[in-house]
Amino acid sequence: MRYAVTRITPEVGGLPKVLAGIEASFTGKSLSGRLLGCFTAEIGVLNQILILQSYDEDAALAEDRSRALVDGSLFGAAEHFREFETTTYVPFDFVPPIEPGKHGPVYEIRVYGVKASGLKPTMDLWRDAVPGRAKVSPLLGAMYAIDGSLPRFLHIWPFASLDERMAKRAESVERGIWPPKGGPAHLTSLSSAIYLPTAFSPLS
């Protein structure tokens, strides 16, 4: 299992055209990857789009990516992109695969940079701490990057509202169950954005 996470920042005024192109690409089945989610940033880089796909085979992922880059199709809307990047991720082995469904509608997506020797210790700490943290609010996905700037990992937390997010995060800290004890010592950077699902996103 591989996840492809694509971030697109459209040109000013180009958001509707890019979203239409993305929807058409998946409706027309021109891509092998399974669409799990398509989101727009509510807090973070304004109008940024995040696409989450899953692939069962590395060959299919490589073929999709190579074809899109060579022929310039890029979700049928490349002419309206200002910035574009795709990263391949491998799921943490103790986190269930991400499945479509109503989990949000508020999704917090975090990316953490990790020290060169810190990925395995981080995963071990998360393995122990996530079950307790998930009793407060669920973890939808956690995965580590295998290309681009390395090492780093991404995690996804769904909430019913921004108020719920604040309350659940505060509760987990107050109860001492999050962050994983010793976990921050392995990190080099932290970033977070709040995304809302588009009308055609399987994750809603």
Side-chain angles (χ1 to χ4, degrees):
M1 168 73 75
R2 297 287 186 266
Y3 292 115
V5 176
T6 300
R7 297 177 191 266
I8 300 168
T9 303
E11 64 186 7
V12 175
L15 180 63
K17 296 173 183 177
V18 175
L19 289 178
I22 294 168
E23 183 176 14
S25 293
F26 286 101
T27 302
K29 301 186 184 302
S30 61
L31 297 167
S32 300
R34 179 190 185 195
L35 177 64
L36 295 175
C38 181
F39 311 90
T40 55
E42 179 70 11
I43 301 174
V45 179
L46 294 181
N47 290 330
Q48 186 180 76
I49 300 164
L50 186 143
I51 303 166
L52 175 63
Q53 297 168 261
S54 65
Y55 286 84
D56 292 329
E57 298 179 358
D58 288 346
L61 189 156
E63 182 181 350
D64 267 5
R65 191 169 296 176
S66 178
R67 183 176 62 248
L69 289 170
V70 171
D71 67 22
S73 56
L74 295 175
F75 302 104
E79 66 272 24
H80 303 296
F81 291 2
R82 184 164 62 84
E83 295 180 1
F84 168 86
E85 68 172 21
T86 299
T87 305
T88 305
Y89 288 89
V90 176
F92 285 11
D93 59 10
F94 56 89
V95 178
I98 297 172
E99 292 294 337
K102 185 170 179 57
H103 301 281
V106 172
Y107 289 82
E108 181 176 19
I109 301 180
R110 293 184 162 229
V111 178
Y112 289 175
V114 186
K115 293 179 180 178
S117 61
L119 187 58
K120 186 180 186 305
T122 296
M123 293 175 68
D124 290 342
L125 291 168
W126 275 56
R127 190 190 311 274
D128 292 338
V130 162
R133 175 63 177 82
K135 291 178 181 178
V136 178
S137 65
L139 170 67
L140 182 65
M143 58 197 78
Y144 61 91
I146 57 172
D147 53 28
S149 177
L150 300 173
R152 69 192 191 281
F153 71 101
L154 177 150
H155 40 120
I156 305 173
W157 302 86
F159 299 97
S161 67
L162 287 173
D163 287 342
E164 183 190 63
R165 171 187 174 271
M166 294 295 292
K168 296 297 185 181
R169 289 182 57 80
E171 179 184 348
S172 66
V173 172
E174 289 169 5
R175 291 174 55 187
I177 59 177
W178 201 259
K181 290 178 175 59
H186 298 289
L187 305 179
T188 59
S189 63
L190 306 92
S191 66
S192 175
I194 300 295
Y195 290 89
L196 302 179
T198 60
F200 59 89
S201 176
L203 284 168
S204 61

